[in-house]
Amino acid sequence: MSVEYIIQLSSGLLTPLIAIVAVYVAWQQSKTAKQKLTLDTYDRNLRIYEEVKKFLLIIIQGGDVDFDEAIKFRSSVSEADFLFGSEIVQYIDEIYKRAIKLRQRNNEYRDDTQVKPEGYNHSKVVDEMHIELVWLAEQLEPAKEKFRKYLSIKR
């Protein structure tokens, strides 16, 4: 075998080898980009779950929530429409609506020392406050279960 033949053979094999290496590098970059996207999505999903949990804990701790806190919650989870399925979006909406209803009933509430407006039904107000507060207080575990499929790292 002559040196010229070996150089020609090496040159002929070098081009396909470079192409194979380039394809491999591109595949690795694609795989890394996909993993980063998955991690970024997980972080965003986790942040929204944490906001839901934090909001529920505020309500549980105080037995009420003020309108500013409810609006802050709504804003902090607004990205959910783009990250989750409709069941999570509807669930967050229900939490918000029930929190607002609890706030409204707490505003309506009058104890024995306060003047009651005409048509005030103490039992109805207290019952509705109780229903909303109990439902909201019981949501920590259901929230975890509803978000679980979006926070599983086994996907």
Side-chain angles (χ1 to χ4, degrees), residues 3-143:
V3 174
E4 284 180 23
Y5 177 74
I6 293 175
I7 291 173
Q8 261 185 336
L9 183 60
S10 296
S11 297
L13 292 176
L14 191 56
T15 302
L17 181 62
I18 290 171
I20 290 169
V21 169
V23 167
Y24 177 76
V25 168
W27 177 75
Q28 284 294 332
Q29 288 175 334
S30 171
K31 188 175 164 185
T32 301
K34 185 176 179 181
Q35 288 172 338
K36 182 173 180 352
L37 178 63
T38 300
L39 181 60
D40 289 347
T41 302
Y42 175 84
D43 287 343
R44 293 166 108 179
N45 290 355
L46 181 61
R47 186 193 59 76
I48 290 174
Y49 168 68
E50 292 292 335
E51 289 292 332
V52 167
K53 196 167 75 170
K54 182 172 82 172
F55 186 64
L56 291 170
L57 288 170
I58 288 168
I59 295 168
I60 293 166
Q61 191 174 32
D64 196 8
V65 66
D66 62 41
F67 285 118
D68 289 340
E69 195 65 44
I71 290 169
K72 183 177 160 188
F73 165 71
R74 194 63 166 171
S75 176
S76 72
V77 297
S78 62
E79 194 177 18
D81 293 346
F82 307 105
L83 296 172
F84 297 100
S86 63
E87 76 280 4
I88 296 293
V89 174
Q90 290 169 359
Y91 181 63
I92 289 171
D93 192 47
E94 183 172 10
I95 290 170
Y96 175 77
K97 286 177 181 176
R98 285 177 173 262
I100 292 297
K101 190 172 181 183
L102 175 64
R103 173 79 291 242
Q104 290 168 336
R105 295 306 168 259
N106 275 316
N107 280 345
E108 292 173 6
Y109 177 81
R110 301 291 182 265
D111 65 24
D112 290 337
T113 64
Q114 297 170 309
V115 177
K116 293 165 184 70
E118 190 175 317
Y120 177 76
N121 184 335
H122 186 75
S123 293
K124 180 181 177 194
V125 171
V126 170
D127 287 348
E128 288 178 1
M129 284 171 55
H130 178 76
I131 289 167
E132 300 308 332
L133 185 56
V134 167
W135 188 89
L136 288 160
E138 292 176 341
Q139 292 310 300
L140 289 175
E141 194 58 37

